[in-house]
Amino acid sequence: MADKQSILNELENSIKQLQQEAAVEGAKKALVAGVSPVEAIDALSRGIREVGEKYAKKEMFVVELIFAASIMEEAIKLLEPELKRSKEKRHSTANFVLGTVAGDIHDIGKNLVKIMLEAGGFEVHDIGKDAPTENFVSKAMEVGAQLVGASSLMTTTVSVQKELVDALRAGGVKAPLMVGGAAVTEEWAKEIGAVYSTDAGSAVPLAKSLLGKGA
Ligand code: B1M
Protein backbone atom coordinates (compact mmCIF):
# COMPACT_ATOMS: atom_id res chain seq x y z
CA MET A 1 0.00 0.00 0.00
CA ALA A 2 1.30 3.51 -0.82
CA ASP A 3 2.50 5.49 2.20
CA LYS A 4 0.75 8.59 3.44
CA GLN A 5 3.34 11.11 2.24
CA SER A 6 3.41 9.70 -1.27
CA ILE A 7 -0.40 9.84 -1.43
CA LEU A 8 -0.39 13.48 -0.26
CA ASN A 9 2.30 14.31 -2.84
CA GLU A 10 0.27 12.57 -5.53
CA LEU A 11 -2.79 14.63 -4.63
CA GLU A 12 -0.87 17.92 -4.60
CA ASN A 13 0.90 17.14 -7.88
CA SER A 14 -2.27 15.96 -9.61
CA ILE A 15 -3.68 19.49 -9.29
CA LYS A 16 -0.42 21.23 -10.24
CA GLN A 17 -0.06 18.99 -13.30
CA LEU A 18 -3.77 19.00 -14.19
CA GLN A 19 -4.05 15.22 -13.97
CA GLN A 20 -7.67 14.34 -13.33
CA GLU A 21 -7.14 10.57 -13.13
CA ALA A 22 -4.28 10.94 -10.66
CA ALA A 23 -6.45 13.15 -8.43
CA VAL A 24 -9.26 10.59 -8.40
CA GLU A 25 -6.82 7.75 -7.81
CA GLY A 26 -5.04 9.73 -5.10
CA ALA A 27 -8.32 10.43 -3.30
CA LYS A 28 -9.30 6.76 -3.49
CA LYS A 29 -5.87 5.71 -2.19
CA ALA A 30 -6.18 8.21 0.67
CA LEU A 31 -9.51 6.67 1.69
CA VAL A 32 -8.17 3.12 1.53
CA ALA A 33 -5.01 4.03 3.46
CA GLY A 34 -6.98 5.87 6.15
CA VAL A 35 -5.32 9.24 5.43
CA SER A 36 -7.24 12.02 7.19
CA PRO A 37 -9.57 13.72 4.65
CA VAL A 38 -8.54 17.08 6.13
CA GLU A 39 -4.88 16.38 5.28
CA ALA A 40 -5.87 15.15 1.82
CA ILE A 41 -7.83 18.36 1.15
CA ASP A 42 -4.91 20.43 2.49
CA ALA A 43 -2.67 18.72 -0.09
CA LEU A 44 -5.13 19.50 -2.88
CA SER A 45 -5.31 23.09 -1.61
CA ARG A 46 -1.52 23.47 -1.81
CA GLY A 47 -1.75 22.32 -5.41
CA ILE A 48 -4.53 24.74 -6.37
CA ARG A 49 -2.76 27.67 -4.68
CA GLU A 50 0.31 26.98 -6.77
CA VAL A 51 -1.85 26.88 -9.91
CA GLY A 52 -3.25 30.27 -8.80
CA GLU A 53 0.28 31.66 -8.42
CA LYS A 54 1.23 30.43 -11.89
CA TYR A 55 -1.93 31.95 -13.30
CA ALA A 56 -1.06 35.29 -11.64
CA LYS A 57 2.43 35.13 -13.19
CA LYS A 58 0.85 34.35 -16.56
CA GLU A 59 2.47 30.93 -16.61
CA MET A 60 -0.95 29.29 -16.86
CA PHE A 61 -4.13 30.19 -18.72
CA VAL A 62 -7.55 30.75 -17.19
CA VAL A 63 -8.84 27.53 -18.82
CA GLU A 64 -6.15 25.65 -16.91
CA LEU A 65 -7.22 27.37 -13.69
CA ILE A 66 -10.81 26.30 -14.41
CA PHE A 67 -9.71 22.73 -15.17
CA ALA A 68 -7.60 22.56 -11.98
CA ALA A 69 -10.61 23.72 -9.95
CA SER A 70 -12.86 21.08 -11.52
CA ILE A 71 -10.29 18.36 -10.74
CA MET A 72 -10.12 19.57 -7.15
CA GLU A 73 -13.91 19.56 -6.82
CA GLU A 74 -14.07 15.98 -8.13
CA ALA A 75 -11.46 14.81 -5.61
CA ILE A 76 -13.23 16.64 -2.75
CA LYS A 77 -16.51 14.91 -3.71
CA LEU A 78 -14.83 11.55 -3.10
CA LEU A 79 -13.39 12.68 0.24
CA GLU A 80 -16.53 14.45 1.48
CA PRO A 81 -18.37 11.42 2.96
CA GLU A 82 -15.29 10.48 4.98
CA LEU A 83 -14.83 14.07 6.08
CA LYS A 84 -18.41 14.10 7.37
CA ARG A 85 -18.01 10.69 9.02
CA SER A 86 -14.83 11.72 10.77
CA LYS A 87 -16.69 14.47 12.60
CA GLU A 88 -19.14 13.72 15.34
CA LYS A 89 -22.62 14.52 14.06
CA ARG A 90 -24.58 16.45 16.65
CA HIS A 91 -28.03 17.93 16.85
CA SER A 92 -28.40 21.23 15.10
CA THR A 93 -27.26 24.00 17.42
CA ALA A 94 -27.92 27.12 15.36
CA ASN A 95 -28.87 28.55 11.99
CA PHE A 96 -25.87 29.68 9.96
CA VAL A 97 -26.41 31.61 6.72
CA LEU A 98 -23.42 31.16 4.42
CA GLY A 99 -22.46 32.43 0.99
CA THR A 100 -19.78 33.89 -1.26
CA VAL A 101 -20.27 37.61 -1.74
CA ALA A 102 -21.66 39.31 -4.85
CA GLY A 103 -19.26 39.46 -7.78
CA ASP A 104 -17.22 36.48 -6.57
CA ILE A 105 -17.74 33.00 -8.00
CA HIS A 106 -15.12 31.19 -5.87
CA ASP A 107 -16.86 28.58 -3.73
CA ILE A 108 -14.51 25.64 -3.08
CA GLY A 109 -13.47 27.09 0.30
CA LYS A 110 -17.03 28.12 1.17
CA ASN A 111 -18.23 24.58 0.42
CA LEU A 112 -15.57 23.13 2.72
CA VAL A 113 -16.65 25.51 5.48
CA LYS A 114 -20.24 24.32 4.95
CA ILE A 115 -19.24 20.65 5.28
CA MET A 116 -17.36 21.33 8.50
CA LEU A 117 -20.15 23.46 10.01
CA GLU A 118 -22.77 20.82 9.21
CA ALA A 119 -20.56 18.13 10.71
CA GLY A 120 -20.22 20.38 13.75
CA GLY A 121 -23.99 20.47 14.19
CA PHE A 122 -24.96 23.75 12.51
CA GLU A 123 -27.99 24.09 10.25
CA VAL A 124 -26.33 25.74 7.26
CA HIS A 125 -28.40 27.79 4.83
CA ASP A 126 -26.13 28.04 1.81
CA ILE A 127 -27.12 30.93 -0.45
CA GLY A 128 -24.42 30.04 -2.97
CA LYS A 129 -21.74 32.03 -4.74
CA ASP A 130 -21.96 35.50 -6.25
CA ALA A 131 -24.78 35.98 -3.76
CA PRO A 132 -26.40 39.42 -3.69
CA THR A 133 -26.08 41.20 -0.35
CA GLU A 134 -29.88 41.39 -0.02
CA ASN A 135 -30.05 37.57 -0.19
CA PHE A 136 -27.82 37.27 2.90
CA VAL A 137 -30.09 39.72 4.72
CA SER A 138 -33.40 38.18 3.65
CA LYS A 139 -32.25 34.62 4.39
CA ALA A 140 -30.90 35.67 7.80
CA MET A 141 -34.24 37.30 8.63
CA GLU A 142 -36.24 34.33 7.28
CA VAL A 143 -34.42 31.69 9.36
CA GLY A 144 -33.61 33.87 12.38
CA ALA A 145 -29.89 33.30 11.82
CA GLN A 146 -27.63 33.17 14.86
CA LEU A 147 -24.60 33.52 12.58
CA VAL A 148 -23.89 34.79 9.08
CA GLY A 149 -20.77 33.89 7.09
CA ALA A 150 -19.34 35.46 3.96
CA SER A 151 -16.48 34.20 1.84
CA SER A 152 -14.46 36.44 -0.46
CA LEU A 153 -11.42 35.44 -2.49
CA MET A 154 -10.65 38.59 -4.42
CA THR A 155 -9.33 42.01 -3.48
CA THR A 156 -12.02 43.37 -5.81
CA THR A 157 -14.89 41.77 -3.85
CA VAL A 158 -13.68 41.98 -0.27
CA SER A 159 -15.29 45.42 0.13
CA VAL A 160 -18.69 43.77 -0.38
CA GLN A 161 -18.26 42.31 3.11
CA LYS A 162 -18.40 45.84 4.50
CA GLU A 163 -21.61 46.52 2.56
CA LEU A 164 -22.93 43.28 3.97
CA VAL A 165 -22.28 44.25 7.61
CA ASP A 166 -24.04 47.57 7.00
CA ALA A 167 -27.00 45.91 5.26
CA LEU A 168 -27.39 43.29 8.00
CA ARG A 169 -27.40 45.90 10.75
CA ALA A 170 -29.75 48.18 8.77
CA GLY A 171 -32.10 45.21 8.37
CA GLY A 172 -32.05 44.58 12.12
CA VAL A 173 -29.99 41.36 11.88
CA LYS A 174 -27.81 41.26 14.96
CA ALA A 175 -26.06 37.95 14.25
CA PRO A 176 -22.25 38.17 14.15
CA LEU A 177 -20.71 38.07 10.67
CA MET A 178 -17.88 35.60 10.12
CA VAL A 179 -15.64 36.39 7.16
CA GLY A 180 -12.99 34.30 5.43
CA GLY A 181 -11.30 33.57 2.13
CA ALA A 182 -7.94 34.29 0.58
CA ALA A 183 -8.47 38.06 0.29
CA VAL A 184 -9.55 38.54 3.90
CA THR A 185 -7.34 39.47 6.85
CA GLU A 186 -7.85 39.73 10.58
CA GLU A 187 -7.33 43.52 10.35
CA TRP A 188 -9.97 43.87 7.67
CA ALA A 189 -12.45 41.83 9.67
CA LYS A 190 -11.87 44.03 12.75
CA GLU A 191 -12.20 47.20 10.68
CA ILE A 192 -15.66 46.22 9.40
CA GLY A 193 -16.91 44.77 12.68
CA ALA A 194 -16.78 41.15 11.59
CA VAL A 195 -14.90 38.09 12.87
CA TYR A 196 -12.11 36.49 10.85
CA SER A 197 -11.80 32.77 10.33
CA THR A 198 -8.61 31.41 8.76
CA ASP A 199 -9.84 28.03 7.58
CA ALA A 200 -12.69 25.56 7.48
CA GLY A 201 -11.47 23.59 10.48
CA SER A 202 -11.25 26.53 12.86
CA ALA A 203 -14.56 27.98 11.59
CA VAL A 204 -16.49 25.51 13.75
CA PRO A 205 -15.01 26.24 17.22
CA LEU A 206 -15.05 29.93 16.33
CA ALA A 207 -18.73 29.77 15.33
CA LYS A 208 -19.56 28.02 18.60
CA SER A 209 -17.70 30.63 20.60
CA LEU A 210 -19.71 33.36 18.84
CA LEU A 211 -23.14 31.96 19.61
CA GLY A 212 -25.12 34.39 21.69
CA LYS A 213 -22.71 37.25 20.98
CA GLY A 214 -24.87 39.19 18.50
CA ALA A 215 -24.26 42.93 17.90
CO1 B1M B 1 -9.73 32.52 -9.20
N1 B1M B 1 -8.68 33.99 -8.48
N2 B1M B 1 -10.48 33.72 -10.54
N3 B1M B 1 -10.69 30.97 -9.85
N4 B1M B 1 -8.69 31.52 -8.02
C1 B1M B 1 -7.91 33.73 -7.25
C2 B1M B 1 -8.70 34.12 -6.00
C3 B1M B 1 -6.62 34.64 -7.47
C4 B1M B 1 -5.94 35.09 -6.18
C5 B1M B 1 -5.65 33.89 -8.42
C6 B1M B 1 -4.42 34.70 -8.72
O1 B1M B 1 -4.46 35.56 -9.58
N5 B1M B 1 -3.33 34.43 -8.02
C7 B1M B 1 -7.24 35.82 -8.30
C8 B1M B 1 -7.78 37.00 -7.49
C9 B1M B 1 -6.89 38.20 -7.53
C10 B1M B 1 -7.47 39.32 -6.72
O2 B1M B 1 -7.54 39.24 -5.55
N6 B1M B 1 -7.90 40.37 -7.36
C11 B1M B 1 -8.34 35.11 -9.07
C12 B1M B 1 -8.94 35.61 -10.25
C13 B1M B 1 -8.36 36.90 -10.79
C14 B1M B 1 -10.01 34.97 -10.90
C15 B1M B 1 -10.80 35.44 -12.12
C16 B1M B 1 -11.12 36.94 -12.20
C17 B1M B 1 -10.02 34.95 -13.37
C18 B1M B 1 -10.63 35.35 -14.71
O3 B1M B 1 -11.72 34.96 -15.04
N7 B1M B 1 -9.88 36.14 -15.43
C19 B1M B 1 -12.10 34.59 -11.97
C20 B1M B 1 -13.08 35.24 -10.99
C21 B1M B 1 -14.38 35.58 -11.55
C22 B1M B 1 -15.30 36.08 -10.43
O4 B1M B 1 -15.29 35.60 -9.30
N8 B1M B 1 -16.09 37.06 -10.75
C23 B1M B 1 -11.58 33.40 -11.30
C24 B1M B 1 -12.12 32.13 -11.46
C25 B1M B 1 -11.65 31.00 -10.83
C26 B1M B 1 -12.12 29.57 -11.14
C27 B1M B 1 -13.61 29.49 -11.55
C28 B1M B 1 -11.29 29.03 -12.27
C29 B1M B 1 -11.71 28.82 -9.83
C30 B1M B 1 -12.81 28.82 -8.74
C31 B1M B 1 -13.66 27.56 -8.78
C32 B1M B 1 -14.59 27.50 -7.61
O5 B1M B 1 -14.38 28.11 -6.56
N9 B1M B 1 -15.65 26.76 -7.82
C33 B1M B 1 -10.57 29.72 -9.31
C34 B1M B 1 -9.59 29.30 -8.37
C35 B1M B 1 -9.58 27.82 -8.04
C36 B1M B 1 -8.69 30.20 -7.76
C37 B1M B 1 -7.53 29.90 -6.78
C38 B1M B 1 -6.37 29.38 -7.63
C39 B1M B 1 -7.78 28.91 -5.66
C40 B1M B 1 -9.03 29.20 -4.80
C41 B1M B 1 -9.37 27.95 -4.00
O6 B1M B 1 -10.30 27.23 -4.34
N10 B1M B 1 -8.53 27.62 -2.99
C42 B1M B 1 -7.24 31.35 -6.18
C43 B1M B 1 -5.82 31.57 -5.71
C44 B1M B 1 -5.71 31.56 -4.18
O7 B1M B 1 -6.67 31.51 -3.46
N11 B1M B 1 -4.47 31.67 -3.71
C45 B1M B 1 -7.84 32.23 -7.22
C46 B1M B 1 -8.67 26.40 -2.19
C47 B1M B 1 -9.66 26.65 -1.05
C48 B1M B 1 -9.80 25.38 -0.20
O8 B1M B 1 -9.14 27.68 -0.24
O9 B1M B 1 -10.94 29.32 -0.95
O10 B1M B 1 -8.96 30.08 0.41
P1 B1M B 1 -9.94 29.03 0.09
O11 B1M B 1 -10.77 28.66 1.40
C49 B1M B 1 -10.15 28.30 2.62
C50 B1M B 1 -9.94 29.49 3.58
O12 B1M B 1 -9.70 30.70 2.91
C51 B1M B 1 -11.17 29.49 4.43
O13 B1M B 1 -11.48 28.10 4.54
C52 B1M B 1 -11.19 27.43 3.31
C53 B1M B 1 -10.75 26.02 3.60
O14 B1M B 1 -9.79 25.97 4.62
N12 B1M B 1 -12.39 30.19 4.04
C54 B1M B 1 -13.29 30.57 4.98
C55 B1M B 1 -12.87 30.51 2.85
N13 B1M B 1 -14.06 31.11 2.97
C56 B1M B 1 -14.34 31.15 4.27
C57 B1M B 1 -15.45 31.64 4.95
C58 B1M B 1 -15.46 31.54 6.35
C59 B1M B 1 -14.41 30.95 7.02
C60 B1M B 1 -13.29 30.47 6.37
O15 B1M B 1 -16.48 31.97 7.11
C61 B1M B 1 -17.64 32.41 6.50
Side-chain angles (χ1 to χ4, degrees):
M1 195 192 291
D3 70 285
K4 177 175 149 184
Q5 196 50 53
S6 70
I7 295 172
L8 295 177
N9 291 344
E10 183 176 344
L11 285 169
E12 182 175 342
N13 290 333
S14 69
I15 304 292
K16 288 184 198 167
Q17 295 160 7
L18 308 179
Q19 291 172 346
Q20 192 157 20
E21 241 170 72
V24 169
E25 280 313 305
K28 286 181 182 164
K29 278 185 205 164
L31 292 171
V32 171
V35 174
S36 135
V38 173
E39 282 186 81
I41 289 171
D42 279 349
L44 293 165
S45 298
R46 285 194 293 277
I48 197 103
R49 285 193 195 109
E50 187 163 318
V51 169
E53 280 160 28
K54 286 198 171 156
Y55 166 74
K57 287 191 256 168
K58 300 197 184 341
E59 290 169 11
M60 272 187 158
F61 296 108
V62 72
V63 286
E64 293 173 302
L65 184 65
I66 293 168
F67 188 42
S70 74
I71 296 174
M72 175 146 177
E73 282 168 329
E74 202 171 324
I76 290 175
K77 243 183 243 158
L78 291 170
L79 297 164
E80 188 179 330
E82 190 52 36
L83 188 64
K84 285 185 172 161
R85 235 191 318 274
S86 69
K87 301 276 150 195
E88 195 190 330
K89 187 93 187 161
R90 294 187 200 94
H91 284 302
S92 166
T93 48
N95 283 315
F96 194 119
V97 171
L98 178 68
T100 301
V101 299
D104 198 326
I105 62 165
H106 297 88
D107 67 354
I108 295 177
K110 186 263 299 167
N111 293 339
L112 288 174
V113 172
K114 177 182 177 183
I115 293 170
M116 299 304 269
L117 286 170
E118 284 180 340
F122 285 85
E123 182 72 38
V124 180
H125 304 270
D126 183 359
I127 59 163
K129 59 191 172 183
D130 188 13
T133 296
E134 55 271 28
N135 290 9
F136 281 90
V137 180
S138 57
K139 184 52 85 178
M141 289 165 90
E142 179 193 325
V143 303
Q146 279 94 338
L147 288 161
V148 178
S151 186
S152 177
L153 270 279
M154 300 194 292
T155 49
T156 45
T157 56
V158 79
S159 60
V160 179
Q161 293 177 336
K162 165 76 180 126
E163 284 171 37
L164 177 56
V165 179
D166 294 344
L168 287 168
R169 302 304 171 238
V173 178
K174 293 187 171 153
L177 175 67
M178 185 189 289
V179 291
V184 184
T185 61
E186 177 102 55
E187 292 69 38
W188 168 252
K190 272 196 188 134
E191 190 183 320
I192 65 171
V195 184
Y196 175 59
S197 165
T198 44
D199 56 58
S202 58
V204 179
L206 180 61
K208 289 188 173 163
S209 74
L210 289 171
L211 285 177
K213 290 192 184 166

